[in-house]
Amino acid sequence: MTDLAPSGREFAESSRPRRTIVRGSGARLWDAAGRSYVDLGATHGVGNLGSSDPEVVRAIQAQAAELIYLGTGYSTPARTRFLERLTGLLPPSLGRVFLSNSGTEAVEAALKIARSATGRPKVVAAMRGFHGRTMGSLSATWRKELRAPFEPLVPEFVHVPYNDAAALAAAVDDRTALVLLEPVQGEGGVHVGTTEYLAAARAVTERTGALLAFDEVQTGIGRTGRMFAFEHAGVVPDLLVLAKSLAGGVPIGATVTSAAVEARFQGSHHSTFGGNPLACAAGAAALERTVRDRLPERADRLGRMALDRLAALPRDRVREVRGRGLMIGIELRDRVGPVLAALEERGFLALPAGASVLRLLPPLVIEESDWSAGLDAIDEVVRRG
Ligand SMILES: Cc1ncc(COP(=O)(O)O)c(C=O)c1O
C-alpha cells in the first residue's frame, strides 16, 4: 500500500513548521513550551464555545462510556436529543435533518437534495463564496487557485457577484436547482449579505421553482449575533447547511430541509459516521449551553464593541472594517501575513481571509479582558505597519 506521507509529514504540508498546541480552555490555547495564546480565530470558527468546554467534555465522556458508535439504521438517545435541540431552534419548516461529519459533506448533501428534488441541474453560487473542497462543494467555491488543479469540476455551476440582486435574478432560470449563498461570506473576506439581497434570493428562487440554501457552516450557532445569520434578514431558506461549531469541536455536519423537499427527494444518501452518538451528545450539550448562556447576544454585544473600536483604525492602513457579531474582517491596504505574524508574537492567534483581510472569529465565550487586549494588539500592529 502506498503511504501518502512516507516521511511522517502530512500530505501537502507547507514548509513553515506548525506551532504545536497542546491544550486549550475557553479562548486560551497553550503551546508545548507552556506559552499561552488568545484565540482570535485560530480554531477556524469551530470554537464558538472555546476549547474543551467543560459541559461538552462531560457529555463526550459520559457518551463514550455508554456507546461510541452505532449504525445509522438505529436511533440513540443522544441522536434524538440533538435533533430535538437543533430543530427546536429553527422555523417549523426546517424539520428534516441529514447528519454528516463536516461542512463539505453537508454542502454535498444540499447539492444532491436540490438536484434530485427539482430534477434540474444548475447551481448558482456567488463570487468570493467558499463552500468546501470536495468535488461538488469545490464546484460552488469561487477561488480559481483552489479549483484549477482539479478541473474539470461538476458541470452546471455558475457564479454571480455577491450582494447584486439583479445579477442573481438574471442567472436563475427554470433549469436552476439551487441558489447557494453564505449569509455572510467568511473565507472570501467577511462580506455581509444585505437583507435586500437575501430577500431577493428568496423571491427569485420562489418565482423560478429553484431551492435556496444558506451555507451557515461559519455563520451558524451564534457567531453573527443571532443563532443563525438568516435571522437577521428574516429570510428562511429551503436548505440550511451547518457544521464547524455545531458539536462544540467534535466533527459534525448537518443539512436541514423541509418535509416538502424531503418528499420530492429521489434516490439515497448516507454517511457511516453521520449522527454518531459521540457527535450528537457533544452537539446537544453545545446547543444547550449556547442557548442557556445567551451566547448569540454576547456575540452581538462584543462584536458591536469591537466594530466601534476598530472604526478608529487609520485609513492609510485599513481600507474597510466589516462584520456582524463576532465575525469581523479588517481589510488592510497591505498583505495580512506580517500582521498575523506580529499578532502571534504578542500571543494572539488570528486568521487571514484572502491576501489582505485579517479575520477575527473568537470564541463567543472569550473573556472581555482578552478580547479587549486582542483589539489593543491589532490596533498597535496595524498602526505600526
Ligand atoms: C461557509 C463554509 N462552507 C463550507 C466549509 C467547509 O467546511 P469543512 O472544512 O468542514 O469541510 C467552510 C469551511 O471553512 C465554510 O466556511
mmCIF file with all atom_site columns, all heavy atoms in Angstrom, residues 261-274:
data_model
loop_
_atom_site.group_PDB
_atom_site.id
_atom_site.type_symbol
_atom_site.label_atom_id
_atom_site.label_alt_id
_atom_site.label_comp_id
_atom_site.label_asym_id
_atom_site.label_entity_id
_atom_site.label_seq_id
_atom_site.pdbx_PDB_ins_code
_atom_site.Cartn_x
_atom_site.Cartn_y
_atom_site.Cartn_z
_atom_site.occupancy
_atom_site.B_iso_or_equiv
_atom_site.pdbx_formal_charge
_atom_site.auth_seq_id
_atom_site.auth_comp_id
_atom_site.auth_asym_id
_atom_site.auth_atom_id
_atom_site.pdbx_PDB_model_num
ATOM 1   N N   . VAL A 1 261 ? -39.533 19.324 0.747  1.00 0.00 ? 261 VAL A N   1
ATOM 2   C CA  . VAL A 1 261 ? -38.370 18.989 -0.098 1.00 0.00 ? 261 VAL A CA  1
ATOM 3   C C   . VAL A 1 261 ? -38.049 17.508 0.052  1.00 0.00 ? 261 VAL A C   1
ATOM 4   O O   . VAL A 1 261 ? -37.783 16.811 -0.939 1.00 0.00 ? 261 VAL A O   1
ATOM 5   C CB  . VAL A 1 261 ? -37.158 19.880 0.257  1.00 0.00 ? 261 VAL A CB  1
ATOM 6   C CG1 . VAL A 1 261 ? -35.893 19.372 -0.429 1.00 0.00 ? 261 VAL A CG1 1
ATOM 7   C CG2 . VAL A 1 261 ? -37.435 21.333 -0.130 1.00 0.00 ? 261 VAL A CG2 1
ATOM 8   N N   . GLU A 1 262 ? -38.089 17.027 1.282  1.00 0.00 ? 262 GLU A N   1
ATOM 9   C CA  . GLU A 1 262 ? -37.806 15.601 1.505  1.00 0.00 ? 262 GLU A CA  1
ATOM 10  C C   . GLU A 1 262 ? -38.725 14.720 0.653  1.00 0.00 ? 262 GLU A C   1
ATOM 11  O O   . GLU A 1 262 ? -38.286 13.716 0.066  1.00 0.00 ? 262 GLU A O   1
ATOM 12  C CB  . GLU A 1 262 ? -37.993 15.260 2.990  1.00 0.00 ? 262 GLU A CB  1
ATOM 13  C CG  . GLU A 1 262 ? -37.668 13.814 3.312  1.00 0.00 ? 262 GLU A CG  1
ATOM 14  C CD  . GLU A 1 262 ? -38.161 13.416 4.701  1.00 0.00 ? 262 GLU A CD  1
ATOM 15  O OE1 . GLU A 1 262 ? -39.323 13.721 5.023  1.00 0.00 ? 262 GLU A OE1 1
ATOM 16  O OE2 . GLU A 1 262 ? -37.386 12.810 5.435  1.00 0.00 ? 262 GLU A OE2 1
ATOM 17  N N   . ALA A 1 263 ? -39.994 15.116 0.558  1.00 0.00 ? 263 ALA A N   1
ATOM 18  C CA  . ALA A 1 263 ? -40.966 14.293 -0.183 1.00 0.00 ? 263 ALA A CA  1
ATOM 19  C C   . ALA A 1 263 ? -40.613 14.218 -1.668 1.00 0.00 ? 263 ALA A C   1
ATOM 20  O O   . ALA A 1 263 ? -40.977 13.258 -2.352 1.00 0.00 ? 263 ALA A O   1
ATOM 21  C CB  . ALA A 1 263 ? -42.371 14.881 0.003  1.00 0.00 ? 263 ALA A CB  1
ATOM 22  N N   . ARG A 1 264 ? -39.896 15.219 -2.161 1.00 0.00 ? 264 ARG A N   1
ATOM 23  C CA  . ARG A 1 264 ? -39.541 15.226 -3.593 1.00 0.00 ? 264 ARG A CA  1
ATOM 24  C C   . ARG A 1 264 ? -38.196 14.561 -3.856 1.00 0.00 ? 264 ARG A C   1
ATOM 25  O O   . ARG A 1 264 ? -37.784 14.406 -5.007 1.00 0.00 ? 264 ARG A O   1
ATOM 26  C CB  . ARG A 1 264 ? -39.511 16.675 -4.108 1.00 0.00 ? 264 ARG A CB  1
ATOM 27  C CG  . ARG A 1 264 ? -40.889 17.314 -4.124 1.00 0.00 ? 264 ARG A CG  1
ATOM 28  C CD  . ARG A 1 264 ? -40.797 18.835 -4.178 1.00 0.00 ? 264 ARG A CD  1
ATOM 29  N NE  . ARG A 1 264 ? -40.169 19.305 -5.397 1.00 0.00 ? 264 ARG A NE  1
ATOM 30  C CZ  . ARG A 1 264 ? -39.694 20.550 -5.563 1.00 0.00 ? 264 ARG A CZ  1
ATOM 31  N NH1 . ARG A 1 264 ? -39.786 21.427 -4.586 1.00 0.00 ? 264 ARG A NH1 1
ATOM 32  N NH2 . ARG A 1 264 ? -39.134 20.905 -6.697 1.00 0.00 ? 264 ARG A NH2 1
ATOM 33  N N   . PHE A 1 265 ? -37.470 14.217 -2.793 1.00 0.00 ? 265 PHE A N   1
ATOM 34  C CA  . PHE A 1 265 ? -36.115 13.643 -2.955 1.00 0.00 ? 265 PHE A CA  1
ATOM 35  C C   . PHE A 1 265 ? -36.211 12.200 -3.434 1.00 0.00 ? 265 PHE A C   1
ATOM 36  O O   . PHE A 1 265 ? -36.934 11.388 -2.852 1.00 0.00 ? 265 PHE A O   1
ATOM 37  C CB  . PHE A 1 265 ? -35.376 13.722 -1.612 1.00 0.00 ? 265 PHE A CB  1
ATOM 38  C CG  . PHE A 1 265 ? -33.995 13.104 -1.640 1.00 0.00 ? 265 PHE A CG  1
ATOM 39  C CD1 . PHE A 1 265 ? -32.949 13.717 -2.319 1.00 0.00 ? 265 PHE A CD1 1
ATOM 40  C CD2 . PHE A 1 265 ? -33.741 11.900 -0.996 1.00 0.00 ? 265 PHE A CD2 1
ATOM 41  C CE1 . PHE A 1 265 ? -31.683 13.151 -2.356 1.00 0.00 ? 265 PHE A CE1 1
ATOM 42  C CE2 . PHE A 1 265 ? -32.472 11.322 -1.019 1.00 0.00 ? 265 PHE A CE2 1
ATOM 43  C CZ  . PHE A 1 265 ? -31.447 11.955 -1.706 1.00 0.00 ? 265 PHE A CZ  1
ATOM 44  N N   . GLN A 1 266 ? -35.484 11.888 -4.494 1.00 0.00 ? 266 GLN A N   1
ATOM 45  C CA  . GLN A 1 266 ? -35.439 10.516 -5.021 1.00 0.00 ? 266 GLN A CA  1
ATOM 46  C C   . GLN A 1 266 ? -34.019 10.001 -4.827 1.00 0.00 ? 266 GLN A C   1
ATOM 47  O O   . GLN A 1 266 ? -33.086 10.765 -4.929 1.00 0.00 ? 266 GLN A O   1
ATOM 48  C CB  . GLN A 1 266 ? -35.701 10.513 -6.531 1.00 0.00 ? 266 GLN A CB  1
ATOM 49  C CG  . GLN A 1 266 ? -36.842 11.348 -6.992 1.00 0.00 ? 266 GLN A CG  1
ATOM 50  C CD  . GLN A 1 266 ? -38.119 10.543 -7.046 1.00 0.00 ? 266 GLN A CD  1
ATOM 51  O OE1 . GLN A 1 266 ? -38.064 9.345  -7.272 1.00 0.00 ? 266 GLN A OE1 1
ATOM 52  N NE2 . GLN A 1 266 ? -39.239 11.190 -6.816 1.00 0.00 ? 266 GLN A NE2 1
ATOM 53  N N   . GLY A 1 267 ? -33.861 8.731  -4.666 1.00 0.00 ? 267 GLY A N   1
ATOM 54  C CA  . GLY A 1 267 ? -32.513 8.182  -4.544 1.00 0.00 ? 267 GLY A CA  1
ATOM 55  C C   . GLY A 1 267 ? -32.145 8.046  -3.080 1.00 0.00 ? 267 GLY A C   1
ATOM 56  O O   . GLY A 1 267 ? -33.005 8.082  -2.196 1.00 0.00 ? 267 GLY A O   1
ATOM 57  N N   . SER A 1 268 ? -30.848 7.893  -2.822 1.00 0.00 ? 268 SER A N   1
ATOM 58  C CA  . SER A 1 268 ? -30.443 7.719  -1.429 1.00 0.00 ? 268 SER A CA  1
ATOM 59  C C   . SER A 1 268 ? -29.167 8.499  -1.159 1.00 0.00 ? 268 SER A C   1
ATOM 60  O O   . SER A 1 268 ? -28.407 8.828  -2.070 1.00 0.00 ? 268 SER A O   1
ATOM 61  C CB  . SER A 1 268 ? -30.230 6.233  -1.117 1.00 0.00 ? 268 SER A CB  1
ATOM 62  O OG  . SER A 1 268 ? -28.999 5.806  -1.660 1.00 0.00 ? 268 SER A OG  1
ATOM 63  N N   . HIS A 1 269 ? -28.974 8.795  0.098  1.00 0.00 ? 269 HIS A N   1
ATOM 64  C CA  . HIS A 1 269 ? -27.743 9.468  0.519  1.00 0.00 ? 269 HIS A CA  1
ATOM 65  C C   . HIS A 1 269 ? -27.465 8.979  1.931  1.00 0.00 ? 269 HIS A C   1
ATOM 66  O O   . HIS A 1 269 ? -28.396 8.795  2.723  1.00 0.00 ? 269 HIS A O   1
ATOM 67  C CB  . HIS A 1 269 ? -27.921 10.981 0.468  1.00 0.00 ? 269 HIS A CB  1
ATOM 68  C CG  . HIS A 1 269 ? -26.622 11.712 0.661  1.00 0.00 ? 269 HIS A CG  1
ATOM 69  N ND1 . HIS A 1 269 ? -25.525 11.485 -0.130 1.00 0.00 ? 269 HIS A ND1 1
ATOM 70  C CD2 . HIS A 1 269 ? -26.237 12.650 1.555  1.00 0.00 ? 269 HIS A CD2 1
ATOM 71  C CE1 . HIS A 1 269 ? -24.522 12.248 0.269  1.00 0.00 ? 269 HIS A CE1 1
ATOM 72  N NE2 . HIS A 1 269 ? -24.932 12.973 1.300  1.00 0.00 ? 269 HIS A NE2 1
ATOM 73  N N   . HIS A 1 270 ? -26.180 8.783  2.254  1.00 0.00 ? 270 HIS A N   1
ATOM 74  C CA  . HIS A 1 270 ? -25.881 8.111  3.517  1.00 0.00 ? 270 HIS A CA  1
ATOM 75  C C   . HIS A 1 270 ? -24.462 8.431  3.944  1.00 0.00 ? 270 HIS A C   1
ATOM 76  O O   . HIS A 1 270 ? -23.604 8.711  3.119  1.00 0.00 ? 270 HIS A O   1
ATOM 77  C CB  . HIS A 1 270 ? -26.030 6.592  3.299  1.00 0.00 ? 270 HIS A CB  1
ATOM 78  C CG  . HIS A 1 270 ? -25.729 5.788  4.512  1.00 0.00 ? 270 HIS A CG  1
ATOM 79  N ND1 . HIS A 1 270 ? -26.571 5.751  5.603  1.00 0.00 ? 270 HIS A ND1 1
ATOM 80  C CD2 . HIS A 1 270 ? -24.683 4.995  4.813  1.00 0.00 ? 270 HIS A CD2 1
ATOM 81  C CE1 . HIS A 1 270 ? -26.023 4.971  6.528  1.00 0.00 ? 270 HIS A CE1 1
ATOM 82  N NE2 . HIS A 1 270 ? -24.885 4.496  6.074  1.00 0.00 ? 270 HIS A NE2 1
ATOM 83  N N   . SER A 1 271 ? -24.198 8.385  5.249  1.00 0.00 ? 271 SER A N   1
ATOM 84  C CA  . SER A 1 271 ? -22.855 8.577  5.760  1.00 0.00 ? 271 SER A CA  1
ATOM 85  C C   . SER A 1 271 ? -22.677 7.686  6.993  1.00 0.00 ? 271 SER A C   1
ATOM 86  O O   . SER A 1 271 ? -23.461 7.780  7.942  1.00 0.00 ? 271 SER A O   1
ATOM 87  C CB  . SER A 1 271 ? -22.662 10.050 6.150  1.00 0.00 ? 271 SER A CB  1
ATOM 88  O OG  . SER A 1 271 ? -21.543 10.184 6.983  1.00 0.00 ? 271 SER A OG  1
ATOM 89  N N   . THR A 1 272 ? -21.655 6.833  6.975  1.00 0.00 ? 272 THR A N   1
ATOM 90  C CA  . THR A 1 272 ? -21.484 5.860  8.065  1.00 0.00 ? 272 THR A CA  1
ATOM 91  C C   . THR A 1 272 ? -21.412 6.521  9.438  1.00 0.00 ? 272 THR A C   1
ATOM 92  O O   . THR A 1 272 ? -22.071 6.108  10.381 1.00 0.00 ? 272 THR A O   1
ATOM 93  C CB  . THR A 1 272 ? -20.205 5.026  7.824  1.00 0.00 ? 272 THR A CB  1
ATOM 94  O OG1 . THR A 1 272 ? -20.399 4.230  6.663  1.00 0.00 ? 272 THR A OG1 1
ATOM 95  C CG2 . THR A 1 272 ? -19.896 4.117  9.012  1.00 0.00 ? 272 THR A CG2 1
ATOM 96  N N   . PHE A 1 273 ? -20.605 7.580  9.530  1.00 0.00 ? 273 PHE A N   1
ATOM 97  C CA  . PHE A 1 273 ? -20.425 8.205  10.848 1.00 0.00 ? 273 PHE A CA  1
ATOM 98  C C   . PHE A 1 273 ? -21.435 9.321  11.119 1.00 0.00 ? 273 PHE A C   1
ATOM 99  O O   . PHE A 1 273 ? -21.420 9.907  12.210 1.00 0.00 ? 273 PHE A O   1
ATOM 100 C CB  . PHE A 1 273 ? -19.000 8.747  10.987 1.00 0.00 ? 273 PHE A CB  1
ATOM 101 C CG  . PHE A 1 273 ? -17.979 7.673  11.252 1.00 0.00 ? 273 PHE A CG  1
ATOM 102 C CD1 . PHE A 1 273 ? -17.012 7.360  10.303 1.00 0.00 ? 273 PHE A CD1 1
ATOM 103 C CD2 . PHE A 1 273 ? -17.990 6.963  12.441 1.00 0.00 ? 273 PHE A CD2 1
ATOM 104 C CE1 . PHE A 1 273 ? -16.084 6.354  10.545 1.00 0.00 ? 273 PHE A CE1 1
ATOM 105 C CE2 . PHE A 1 273 ? -17.060 5.960  12.692 1.00 0.00 ? 273 PHE A CE2 1
ATOM 106 C CZ  . PHE A 1 273 ? -16.106 5.647  11.743 1.00 0.00 ? 273 PHE A CZ  1
ATOM 107 N N   . GLY A 1 274 ? -22.259 9.640  10.134 1.00 0.00 ? 274 GLY A N   1
ATOM 108 C CA  . GLY A 1 274 ? -23.212 10.740 10.320 1.00 0.00 ? 274 GLY A CA  1
ATOM 109 C C   . GLY A 1 274 ? -24.158 10.446 11.474 1.00 0.00 ? 274 GLY A C   1
ATOM 110 O O   . GLY A 1 274 ? -24.757 9.380  11.536 1.00 0.00 ? 274 GLY A O   1
#
